[in-house]
Amino acid sequence: GPNGDGGANGGSIVDEVYLQLVSDQALRSAVIFGRIDLGMPDYRTQRAGSPLSDREIDDVVAWMISHRADFKNPKDYVPEE
């Protein structure tokens, strides 16, 4: 979805657990190349007017990273009971 919360084909790109498991580079690749199979557009060509600039890509990746849980190590994750 437009807020990263998922859609009919895929889950949320800002899911805290997903973000703990995926590298920053993988997020960057997803932004650049998209996930057409999941309904996430390829921003090299799908943006009206021009592709995203390097700065815009950095900003999108930083926004996604900002949604990671506060813990830094997935081994430290303790689910709520």
Side-chain angles (χ1 to χ4, degrees):
N3 296 318
D5 54 2
N9 296 326
S12 173
I13 193 73
V14 293
D15 176 77
E16 291 178 355
V17 175
Y18 167 74
L19 291 172
Q20 284 296 319
L21 297 173
V22 68
S23 70
D24 294 357
Q25 183 59 47
L27 291 174
R28 185 174 180 79
S29 293
V31 170
I32 294 169
F33 301 112
R35 288 292 309 269
I36 304 305
D37 57 324
L38 299 177
M40 183 178 177
D42 174 343
Y43 286 105
R44 294 173 298 172
T45 58
Q46 294 291 330
R47 182 168 174 243
S50 65
L52 292 175
S53 69
D54 287 343
R55 174 60 190 254
E56 290 169 319
I57 292 167
D58 290 345
D59 289 346
V60 171
V61 173
W63 174 80
M64 289 191 296
I65 290 169
S66 75
H67 287 82
R68 280 186 176 144
D70 289 336
F71 59 89
K72 300 296 180 196
N73 186 340
K75 293 178 188 174
D76 295 337
Y77 177 69
V78 178
E80 294 181 17
E81 295 183 27

